[in-house]
Amino acid sequence: MGTNFEFHAADPAVVRKNLDGAKQFVRLSHDIGGTGVKVKPNALPKEVPKEKTLNQIGQALAGWVGMPPISVRRSVSKSMAE
Protein backbone atom coordinates (compact mmCIF):
# COMPACT_ATOMS: atom_id res chain seq x y z
CA MET A 1 0.00 0.00 0.00
CA GLY A 2 1.18 3.51 -0.63
CA THR A 3 -0.03 7.06 -0.36
CA ASN A 4 1.29 10.61 -0.70
CA PHE A 5 -0.13 12.92 1.94
CA GLU A 6 1.71 16.24 2.02
CA PHE A 7 2.84 17.72 5.33
CA HIS A 8 5.01 20.45 3.79
CA ALA A 9 2.22 22.79 2.61
CA ALA A 10 2.41 26.42 3.72
CA ASP A 11 -1.35 26.45 4.44
CA PRO A 12 -2.04 24.93 7.89
CA ALA A 13 -5.53 23.86 6.78
CA VAL A 14 -4.01 21.75 3.99
CA VAL A 15 -1.59 20.14 6.45
CA ARG A 16 -4.44 19.33 8.89
CA LYS A 17 -6.53 17.80 6.10
CA ASN A 18 -3.60 15.68 4.94
CA LEU A 19 -2.79 14.61 8.51
CA ASP A 20 -6.37 13.42 8.97
CA GLY A 21 -6.13 11.40 5.75
CA ALA A 22 -2.74 9.98 6.68
CA LYS A 23 -4.02 8.89 10.10
CA GLN A 24 -6.89 7.02 8.44
CA PHE A 25 -4.39 5.35 6.12
CA VAL A 26 -2.12 4.35 9.04
CA ARG A 27 -5.07 2.81 10.88
CA LEU A 28 -6.06 0.87 7.76
CA SER A 29 -2.47 -0.25 7.20
CA HIS A 30 -2.26 -1.45 10.81
CA ASP A 31 -5.58 -3.27 10.53
CA ILE A 32 -4.40 -5.28 7.53
CA GLY A 33 -1.00 -6.10 9.03
CA GLY A 34 1.16 -3.19 7.89
CA THR A 35 4.22 -2.51 10.02
CA GLY A 36 5.34 0.94 8.96
CA VAL A 37 4.83 4.08 6.97
CA LYS A 38 7.42 6.12 5.10
CA VAL A 39 7.33 9.89 5.47
CA LYS A 40 9.07 12.19 3.01
CA PRO A 41 8.63 15.70 1.71
CA ASN A 42 6.98 15.74 -1.71
CA ALA A 43 8.60 19.10 -2.24
CA LEU A 44 10.59 21.72 -0.42
CA PRO A 45 8.94 25.10 -1.11
CA LYS A 46 11.61 27.50 -2.37
CA GLU A 47 10.20 30.41 -0.37
CA VAL A 48 10.53 28.52 2.94
CA PRO A 49 13.86 27.52 4.53
CA LYS A 50 14.46 23.75 4.17
CA GLU A 51 14.94 23.34 7.93
CA LYS A 52 11.56 24.96 8.62
CA THR A 53 9.77 22.62 6.21
CA LEU A 54 11.42 19.52 7.65
CA ASN A 55 10.64 20.72 11.18
CA GLN A 56 7.00 21.27 10.18
CA ILE A 57 6.78 17.69 8.94
CA GLY A 58 8.31 16.40 12.19
CA GLN A 59 5.97 18.50 14.32
CA ALA A 60 2.97 17.22 12.37
CA LEU A 61 3.96 13.65 13.16
CA ALA A 62 4.77 14.41 16.82
CA GLY A 63 1.07 14.88 17.55
CA TRP A 64 0.09 11.33 16.57
CA VAL A 65 -0.84 10.26 20.10
CA GLY A 66 -3.11 7.23 20.12
CA MET A 67 -2.09 6.00 16.69
CA PRO A 68 -1.46 2.28 16.14
CA PRO A 69 2.04 1.10 17.09
CA ILE A 70 3.73 1.05 13.70
CA SER A 71 7.09 2.45 12.77
CA VAL A 72 7.55 5.72 10.92
CA ARG A 73 10.49 5.88 8.56
CA ARG A 74 11.64 9.08 6.97
CA SER A 75 13.12 9.41 3.55
CA VAL A 76 14.85 12.47 2.18
CA SER A 77 16.31 12.14 -1.26
CA LYS A 78 19.86 13.29 -1.81
CA SER A 79 18.66 16.24 -3.89
CA MET A 80 16.35 17.42 -1.09
CA ALA A 81 19.00 16.97 1.59
CA GLU A 82 21.42 19.31 -0.17
Side-chain angles (χ1 to χ4, degrees):
M1 292 179 64
T3 186
N4 272 322
F5 288 100
E6 298 181 356
F7 304 154
H8 68 272
D11 183 346
V14 171
V15 175
R16 278 191 302 275
K17 179 181 175 187
N18 284 323
L19 280 170
D20 290 343
K23 286 178 180 181
Q24 291 175 13
F25 178 84
V26 167
R27 287 184 185 104
L28 173 62
S29 179
H30 176 265
D31 290 349
I32 64 170
T35 59
V37 61
K38 181 168 79 172
V39 177
K40 61 179 179 52
N42 291 337
L44 293 174
K46 293 182 183 189
E47 66 279 4
V48 179
K50 174 177 60 176
E51 294 77 17
K52 183 176 180 183
T53 299
L54 296 177
N55 186 54
Q56 176 177 315
I57 293 167
Q59 290 297 317
L61 295 172
W64 285 28
V65 176
M67 292 301 298
I70 65 170
S71 67
V72 175
R73 295 183 294 274
R74 67 181 176 88
S75 173
V76 178
S77 71
K78 183 178 178 186
S79 63
M80 288 188 172
E82 296 173 345

Coordinates of all heavy atoms in Angstrom, one line a residue:
M1 N 0.8 -1.2 0.0 CA 0.0 0.0 0.0 C 0.9 1.2 0.0 O 2.0 1.2 0.6 CB -0.9 0.0 1.2 CG -1.9 -1.1 1.3 SD -2.9 -1.0 2.8 CE -3.8 0.5 2.6
G2 N 0.4 2.3 -0.6 CA 1.2 3.5 -0.6 C 0.3 4.7 -0.7 O -0.9 4.6 -1.2
T3 N 0.7 5.8 -0.3 CA 0.0 7.1 -0.4 C 0.9 8.2 -0.4 O 2.1 8.1 -0.1 CB -1.0 7.2 0.8 OG1 -1.8 8.3 0.6 CG2 -0.3 7.2 2.1
N4 N 0.5 9.4 -0.7 CA 1.3 10.6 -0.7 C 0.6 11.8 -0.1 O 0.1 12.7 -0.7 CB 1.7 11.0 -2.1 CG 2.9 10.3 -2.6 OD1 3.9 10.1 -1.8 ND2 2.9 9.9 -3.8
F5 N 0.4 11.8 1.2 CA -0.1 12.9 1.9 C 1.0 13.9 2.2 O 2.1 13.6 2.5 CB -0.7 12.5 3.3 CG -2.0 11.7 3.1 CD1 -2.0 10.3 3.2 CD2 -3.2 12.4 2.8 CE1 -3.2 9.6 3.0 CE2 -4.4 11.7 2.6 CZ -4.4 10.3 2.8
E6 N 0.7 15.2 1.9 CA 1.7 16.2 2.0 C 1.6 16.9 3.4 O 0.6 17.4 3.8 CB 1.5 17.3 0.9 CG 1.6 16.7 -0.5 CD 1.4 17.7 -1.6 OE1 1.1 18.9 -1.3 OE2 1.6 17.3 -2.7
F7 N 2.8 17.0 4.1 CA 2.8 17.7 5.3 C 3.7 19.0 5.2 O 4.0 19.7 6.2 CB 3.5 16.8 6.4 CG 2.8 15.5 6.6 CD1 3.4 14.5 7.2 CD2 1.4 15.4 6.4 CE1 2.8 13.3 7.4 CE2 0.8 14.2 6.6 CZ 1.5 13.1 7.1
H8 N 4.1 19.3 4.0 CA 5.0 20.4 3.8 C 4.3 21.7 3.3 O 4.9 22.8 3.2 CB 6.1 20.1 2.8 CG 5.5 19.9 1.4 ND1 5.1 18.7 0.9 CD2 5.4 20.8 0.4 CE1 4.6 18.8 -0.3 NE2 4.8 20.1 -0.7
A9 N 3.0 21.6 3.1 CA 2.2 22.8 2.6 C 2.3 24.0 3.5 O 2.4 23.9 4.7 CB 0.8 22.4 2.4
A10 N 2.3 25.2 2.9 CA 2.4 26.4 3.7 C 1.1 26.7 4.4 O 1.1 27.4 5.5 CB 2.8 27.6 2.8
D11 N 0.0 26.2 3.9 CA -1.4 26.4 4.4 C -1.6 25.4 5.5 O -1.8 24.2 5.3 CB -2.4 26.3 3.3 CG -3.8 26.6 3.8 OD1 -4.1 26.7 5.0 OD2 -4.7 26.8 2.9
P12 N -1.8 25.9 6.8 CA -2.0 24.9 7.9 C -3.3 24.1 7.7 O -3.3 22.9 8.1 CB -2.2 25.8 9.1 CG -1.5 27.1 8.8 CD -1.7 27.2 7.3
A13 N -4.3 24.6 7.0 CA -5.5 23.9 6.8 C -5.3 22.7 5.9 O -5.8 21.6 6.1 CB -6.6 24.7 6.2
V14 N -4.4 22.8 4.9 CA -4.0 21.7 4.0 C -3.3 20.7 4.8 O -3.5 19.5 4.6 CB -3.2 22.3 2.8 CG1 -2.6 21.1 2.0 CG2 -4.0 23.2 1.9
V15 N -2.4 21.1 5.6 CA -1.6 20.1 6.5 C -2.5 19.3 7.3 O -2.4 18.1 7.4 CB -0.5 20.8 7.3 CG1 0.2 19.9 8.2 CG2 0.5 21.5 6.4
R16 N -3.5 20.0 8.0 CA -4.4 19.3 8.9 C -5.3 18.3 8.1 O -5.5 17.2 8.6 CB -5.4 20.3 9.6 CG -4.8 21.0 10.8 CD -5.8 21.7 11.6 NE -6.4 22.8 10.8 CZ -6.0 24.0 10.7 NH1 -4.8 24.4 11.2 NH2 -6.6 24.9 9.9
K17 N -5.7 18.7 6.9 CA -6.5 17.8 6.1 C -5.7 16.6 5.7 O -6.2 15.4 5.8 CB -7.0 18.5 4.8 CG -7.8 17.6 3.9 CD -8.3 18.4 2.7 CE -9.0 17.5 1.7 NZ -9.3 18.1 0.5
N18 N -4.5 16.8 5.3 CA -3.6 15.7 4.9 C -3.2 14.8 6.1 O -3.1 13.6 6.0 CB -2.4 16.2 4.2 CG -2.7 16.6 2.8 OD1 -3.5 16.0 2.1 ND2 -2.0 17.7 2.4
L19 N -3.1 15.4 7.3 CA -2.8 14.6 8.5 C -4.0 13.7 8.8 O -3.8 12.5 9.2 CB -2.5 15.5 9.7 CG -1.1 16.1 9.8 CD1 -1.0 17.1 10.8 CD2 -0.1 15.0 10.0
D20 N -5.2 14.2 8.7 CA -6.4 13.4 9.0 C -6.4 12.2 8.0 O -6.7 11.1 8.4 CB -7.6 14.3 8.8 CG -7.8 15.3 10.0 OD1 -7.1 15.1 11.0 OD2 -8.6 16.2 9.8
G21 N -6.1 12.5 6.7 CA -6.1 11.4 5.8 C -5.0 10.4 6.0 O -5.3 9.2 5.9
A22 N -3.9 10.9 6.4 CA -2.7 10.0 6.7 C -3.0 9.1 7.9 O -2.7 7.9 7.9 CB -1.5 10.8 6.9
K23 N -3.7 9.7 8.9 CA -4.0 8.9 10.1 C -5.0 7.8 9.7 O -4.9 6.6 10.2 CB -4.6 9.8 11.2 CG -3.6 10.7 11.9 CD -4.2 11.6 12.9 CE -3.2 12.5 13.6 NZ -3.8 13.3 14.6
Q24 N -6.0 8.1 8.9 CA -6.9 7.0 8.4 C -6.1 5.9 7.7 O -6.4 4.7 7.9 CB -8.0 7.6 7.6 CG -8.9 8.5 8.3 CD -9.9 9.2 7.4 OE1 -10.1 8.8 6.2 NE2 -10.6 10.2 7.9
F25 N -5.2 6.3 6.9 CA -4.4 5.4 6.1 C -3.6 4.5 7.1 O -3.5 3.3 6.9 CB -3.5 6.1 5.1 CG -2.6 5.2 4.4 CD1 -3.0 4.6 3.2 CD2 -1.3 4.9 4.8 CE1 -2.2 3.7 2.5 CE2 -0.5 4.1 4.1 CZ -0.9 3.5 2.9
V26 N -2.9 5.1 8.1 CA -2.1 4.4 9.0 C -3.0 3.3 9.8 O -2.6 2.2 10.0 CB -1.4 5.3 10.0 CG1 -0.8 4.6 11.2 CG2 -0.3 6.1 9.3
R27 N -4.2 3.7 10.2 CA -5.1 2.8 10.9 C -5.4 1.6 10.0 O -5.4 0.5 10.4 CB -6.3 3.5 11.3 CG -6.1 4.4 12.5 CD -7.4 5.1 13.0 NE -7.1 6.0 14.1 CZ -7.1 7.3 13.9 NH1 -7.4 7.9 12.8 NH2 -6.8 8.1 14.9
L28 N -5.7 1.9 8.7 CA -6.1 0.9 7.8 C -4.9 0.0 7.6 O -5.0 -1.3 7.6 CB -6.5 1.5 6.4 CG -6.7 0.5 5.3 CD1 -7.8 -0.5 5.6 CD2 -7.0 1.2 4.0
S29 N -3.7 0.5 7.4 CA -2.5 -0.3 7.2 C -2.3 -1.2 8.4 O -1.9 -2.4 8.2 CB -1.3 0.7 7.0 OG -0.1 -0.1 6.8
H30 N -2.4 -0.6 9.6 CA -2.3 -1.4 10.8 C -3.3 -2.6 10.8 O -2.9 -3.7 11.1 CB -2.4 -0.6 12.0 CG -2.4 -1.3 13.3 ND1 -3.5 -1.7 14.0 CD2 -1.3 -1.7 14.1 CE1 -3.2 -2.4 15.1 NE2 -1.9 -2.4 15.2
D31 N -4.5 -2.3 10.5 CA -5.6 -3.3 10.5 C -5.4 -4.4 9.6 O -5.8 -5.5 9.8 CB -6.9 -2.6 10.2 CG -7.4 -1.7 11.4 OD1 -6.8 -1.7 12.5 OD2 -8.4 -1.0 11.1
I32 N -4.6 -4.2 8.5 CA -4.4 -5.3 7.5 C -3.0 -5.9 7.7 O -2.5 -6.6 6.8 CB -4.7 -4.8 6.1 CG1 -3.7 -3.7 5.6 CG2 -6.1 -4.4 5.9 CD1 -3.8 -3.4 4.1
G33 N -2.3 -5.5 8.8 CA -1.0 -6.1 9.0 C 0.2 -5.3 8.6 O 1.3 -5.8 8.7
G34 N 0.0 -4.0 8.2 CA 1.2 -3.2 7.9 C 2.0 -2.9 9.1 O 1.5 -2.9 10.2
T35 N 3.3 -2.7 8.9 CA 4.2 -2.5 10.0 C 4.9 -1.1 10.0 O 5.6 -0.8 10.9 CB 5.3 -3.6 10.0 OG1 6.0 -3.5 8.8 CG2 4.7 -5.0 10.2
G36 N 4.7 -0.3 9.0 CA 5.3 0.9 9.0 C 4.8 1.8 7.9 O 4.0 1.4 7.0
V37 N 5.2 3.1 8.0 CA 4.8 4.1 7.0 C 6.1 4.9 6.7 O 6.8 5.2 7.6 CB 3.6 4.9 7.4 CG1 3.9 5.7 8.7 CG2 3.2 5.9 6.3
K38 N 6.3 5.3 5.5 CA 7.4 6.1 5.1 C 6.9 7.6 5.0 O 5.9 7.8 4.4 CB 8.0 5.7 3.8 CG 9.2 6.5 3.4 CD 10.0 5.8 2.2 CE 9.4 6.1 0.9 NZ 10.2 5.6 -0.2
V39 N 7.7 8.5 5.5 CA 7.3 9.9 5.5 C 8.4 10.6 4.8 O 9.6 10.4 5.1 CB 7.1 10.5 6.9 CG1 6.9 11.9 6.8 CG2 6.0 9.7 7.6
K40 N 8.1 11.4 3.8 CA 9.1 12.2 3.0 C 8.4 13.5 2.5 O 7.2 13.5 2.4 CB 9.6 11.4 1.8 CG 8.4 11.1 0.8 CD 8.9 10.3 -0.4 CE 7.8 9.9 -1.3 NZ 7.0 11.0 -1.7
P41 N 9.2 14.5 2.3 CA 8.6 15.7 1.7 C 8.4 15.4 0.2 O 9.2 14.8 -0.4 CB 9.7 16.8 1.9 CG 11.0 16.0 2.2 CD 10.6 14.7 2.7
N42 N 7.2 15.8 -0.3 CA 7.0 15.7 -1.7 C 7.7 16.9 -2.4 O 7.9 16.8 -3.6 CB 5.5 15.7 -2.0 CG 4.8 14.5 -1.5 OD1 5.5 13.5 -1.3 ND2 3.5 14.6 -1.3
A43 N 7.9 17.9 -1.7 CA 8.6 19.1 -2.2 C 9.1 19.9 -1.1 O 8.7 19.8 0.1 CB 7.6 19.9 -3.1
L44 N 10.1 20.7 -1.4 CA 10.6 21.7 -0.4 C 10.3 23.1 -1.0 O 11.0 23.5 -2.0 CB 12.1 21.5 -0.2 CG 12.5 20.2 0.6 CD1 14.0 20.1 0.6 CD2 11.9 20.2 2.0
P45 N 9.3 23.8 -0.5 CA 8.9 25.1 -1.1 C 10.1 26.0 -1.1 O 10.8 26.2 -0.1 CB 7.8 25.6 -0.2 CG 7.3 24.4 0.4 CD 8.4 23.4 0.6
K46 N 10.4 26.6 -2.2 CA 11.6 27.5 -2.4 C 11.6 28.7 -1.5 O 12.6 29.2 -1.1 CB 11.8 27.9 -3.8 CG 12.2 26.7 -4.7 CD 12.4 27.1 -6.1 CE 12.7 25.8 -6.9 NZ 13.1 26.0 -8.2
E47 N 10.3 29.2 -1.2 CA 10.2 30.4 -0.4 C 10.3 30.1 1.1 O 10.3 31.1 1.9 CB 8.9 31.1 -0.7 CG 7.6 30.4 -0.3 CD 7.2 29.3 -1.2 OE1 7.9 29.0 -2.2 OE2 6.1 28.7 -1.0
V48 N 10.4 28.9 1.5 CA 10.5 28.5 2.9 C 11.9 27.8 3.2 O 12.3 26.9 2.4 CB 9.4 27.6 3.3 CG1 9.4 27.1 4.8 CG2 8.0 28.2 3.0
P49 N 12.6 28.2 4.2 CA 13.9 27.5 4.5 C 13.6 26.0 4.7 O 12.7 25.6 5.3 CB 14.3 28.2 5.9 CG 13.6 29.5 5.9 CD 12.3 29.3 5.2
K50 N 14.6 25.2 4.1 CA 14.5 23.8 4.2 C 14.3 23.2 5.6 O 13.4 22.4 5.9 CB 15.7 23.1 3.6 CG 15.8 21.6 3.7 CD 17.0 21.1 3.0 CE 18.3 21.6 3.6 NZ 19.5 21.0 3.0
E51 N 15.0 23.8 6.5 CA 14.9 23.3 7.9 C 13.5 23.6 8.5 O 13.0 22.7 9.3 CB 16.0 24.0 8.8 CG 17.4 23.7 8.4 CD 17.9 24.4 7.2 OE1 17.3 25.4 6.8 OE2 18.9 23.9 6.6
K52 N 12.9 24.7 8.1 CA 11.6 25.0 8.6 C 10.6 23.9 8.1 O 9.7 23.5 8.8 CB 11.1 26.4 8.2 CG 9.8 26.7 8.8 CD 9.4 28.2 8.5 CE 8.0 28.5 9.0 NZ 7.6 29.8 8.7
T53 N 10.7 23.6 6.8 CA 9.8 22.6 6.2 C 9.9 21.3 6.9 O 9.0 20.6 7.2 CB 10.0 22.5 4.7 OG1 9.8 23.8 4.1 CG2 9.1 21.5 4.1
L54 N 11.2 20.8 7.0 CA 11.4 19.5 7.7 C 10.9 19.5 9.1 O 10.4 18.5 9.6 CB 12.9 19.1 7.5 CG 13.4 19.0 6.1 CD1 14.9 18.7 6.1 CD2 12.6 17.9 5.4
N55 N 11.1 20.6 9.8 CA 10.6 20.7 11.2 C 9.1 20.6 11.2 O 8.5 20.0 12.1 CB 11.1 22.0 11.8 CG 10.8 22.1 13.3 OD1 11.1 21.2 14.0 ND2 10.1 23.1 13.7
Q56 N 8.5 21.3 10.3 CA 7.0 21.3 10.2 C 6.5 19.8 10.0 O 5.5 19.4 10.6 CB 6.5 22.1 9.0 CG 5.0 22.1 8.8 CD 4.6 23.0 7.7 OE1 5.0 24.2 7.6 NE2 3.8 22.5 6.8
I57 N 7.2 19.1 9.2 CA 6.8 17.7 8.9 C 6.9 16.9 10.2 O 6.1 16.1 10.6 CB 7.6 17.1 7.8 CG1 7.2 17.7 6.5 CG2 7.4 15.6 7.7 CD1 8.2 17.4 5.3
G58 N 8.1 17.1 10.9 CA 8.3 16.4 12.2 C 7.3 16.8 13.3 O 6.8 15.9 14.0
Q59 N 7.0 18.1 13.3 CA 6.0 18.5 14.3 C 4.6 17.9 14.0 O 3.8 17.6 14.9 CB 5.9 20.0 14.3 CG 7.1 20.7 14.9 CD 7.3 20.3 16.4 OE1 6.4 20.3 17.2 NE2 8.6 20.0 16.7
A60 N 4.3 17.8 12.7 CA 3.0 17.2 12.4 C 2.9 15.8 12.9 O 1.8 15.4 13.4 CB 2.8 17.3 10.9
L61 N 4.0 15.0 12.7 CA 4.0 13.6 13.2 C 4.0 13.5 14.7 O 3.6 12.5 15.2 CB 5.1 12.9 12.5 CG 5.1 12.8 11.0 CD1 6.4 12.2 10.5 CD2 3.9 11.9 10.6
A62 N 4.6 14.5 15.4 CA 4.8 14.4 16.8 C 3.4 14.4 17.5 O 3.3 13.8 18.6 CB 5.6 15.6 17.3
G63 N 2.4 14.9 16.9 CA 1.1 14.9 17.6 C 0.2 13.6 17.3 O -1.0 13.6 17.6
W64 N 0.8 12.5 16.9 CA 0.1 11.3 16.6 C -0.1 10.4 17.8 O 0.0 9.2 17.7 CB 0.8 10.6 15.5 CG 0.6 11.2 14.1 CD1 0.4 12.5 13.8 CD2 0.6 10.5 12.9 NE1 0.3 12.7 12.5 CE2 0.5 11.5 11.9 CE3 0.8 9.2 12.5 CZ2 0.4 11.2 10.5 CZ3 0.8 8.9 11.1 CH2 0.6 9.9 10.2
V65 N -0.6 11.0 18.9 CA -0.8 10.3 20.1 C -2.1 9.4 19.8 O -3.0 9.8 19.3 CB -1.1 11.2 21.3 CG1 -1.5 10.5 22.5 CG2 0.1 12.1 21.5
G66 N -2.0 8.1 20.3 CA -3.1 7.2 20.1 C -3.1 6.5 18.8 O -4.1 5.7 18.5
M67 N -2.1 6.7 18.0 CA -2.1 6.0 16.7 C -1.6 4.6 16.9 O -0.9 4.3 17.9 CB -1.2 6.7 15.7 CG -1.7 8.1 15.3 SD -3.3 8.0 14.4 CE -2.9 7.0 13.0
P68 N -1.9 3.7 16.0 CA -1.5 2.3 16.1 C 0.1 2.2 16.2 O 0.8 3.1 15.7 CB -1.9 1.6 14.9 CG -3.1 2.4 14.4 CD -2.8 3.8 14.8
P69 N 0.6 1.2 16.9 CA 2.0 1.1 17.1 C 2.7 0.6 15.9 O 3.0 -0.6 15.8 CB 2.2 0.1 18.3 CG 0.9 -0.7 18.1 CD -0.1 0.2 17.6
I70 N 3.0 1.4 14.9 CA 3.7 1.0 13.7 C 4.9 2.0 13.6 O 4.9 3.1 14.2 CB 2.9 1.1 12.4 CG1 2.5 2.5 12.1 CG2 1.7 0.1 12.5 CD1 1.9 2.6 10.7
S71 N 5.9 1.6 12.9 CA 7.1 2.5 12.8 C 6.9 3.5 11.7 O 6.2 3.3 10.7 CB 8.3 1.6 12.5 OG 8.2 1.1 11.2
V72 N 7.5 4.6 11.9 CA 7.5 5.7 10.9 C 9.0 5.9 10.4 O 9.9 6.1 11.2 CB 7.1 7.1 11.5 CG1 7.2 8.2 10.5 CG2 5.6 6.9 12.0
R73 N 9.2 5.7 9.2 CA 10.5 5.9 8.6 C 10.5 7.1 7.7 O 9.5 7.5 7.1 CB 10.8 4.7 7.7 CG 10.9 3.4 8.4 CD 11.3 2.2 7.5 NE 10.3 1.9 6.5 CZ 9.3 1.1 6.8 NH1 9.1 0.6 7.9 NH2 8.4 0.8 5.8
R74 N 11.6 7.9 7.8 CA 11.6 9.1 7.0 C 12.6 8.9 5.8 O 13.5 8.1 5.9 CB 12.1 10.3 7.8 CG 13.5 10.3 8.3 CD 13.8 11.5 9.1 NE 15.1 11.4 9.6 CZ 16.2 11.8 9.0 NH1 16.1 12.4 7.9 NH2 17.3 11.7 9.6
S75 N 12.3 9.5 4.7 CA 13.1 9.4 3.5 C 13.3 10.8 2.9 O 12.3 11.5 2.6 CB 12.4 8.5 2.5 OG 13.1 8.5 1.3
V76 N 14.5 11.2 2.8 CA 14.9 12.5 2.2 C 15.8 12.1 1.1 O 16.9 11.6 1.3 CB 15.5 13.5 3.2 CG1 15.9 14.8 2.5 CG2 14.5 13.7 4.3
S77 N 15.4 12.4 -0.1 CA 16.3 12.1 -1.3 C 17.6 13.0 -1.2 O 17.6 14.1 -0.6 CB 15.6 12.4 -2.6 OG 15.4 13.8 -2.8
K78 N 18.6 12.6 -1.8 CA 19.9 13.3 -1.8 C 19.7 14.7 -2.3 O 20.2 15.7 -1.7 CB 20.9 12.6 -2.7 CG 22.3 13.3 -2.6 CD 23.3 12.5 -3.4 CE 24.6 13.3 -3.4 NZ 25.6 12.7 -4.2
S79 N 18.9 14.9 -3.3 CA 18.7 16.2 -3.9 C 17.9 17.2 -2.9 O 18.2 18.4 -2.9 CB 17.9 16.2 -5.2 OG 16.6 15.7 -5.0
M80 N 17.0 16.6 -2.1 CA 16.3 17.4 -1.1 C 17.2 17.7 0.1 O 17.1 18.7 0.8 CB 15.1 16.7 -0.7 CG 14.0 16.8 -1.7 SD 12.5 16.2 -1.1 CE 11.4 16.5 -2.4
A81 N 18.1 16.8 0.4 CA 19.0 17.0 1.6 C 20.1 18.0 1.4 O 20.6 18.6 2.3 CB 19.7 15.6 1.9
E82 N 20.4 18.3 0.1 CA 21.4 19.3 -0.2 C 20.9 20.7 -0.1 O 19.8 21.0 -0.2 CB 22.0 19.0 -1.5 CG 22.7 17.7 -1.6 CD 23.1 17.3 -2.9 OE1 22.7 17.8 -4.0 OE2 23.9 16.3 -3.0

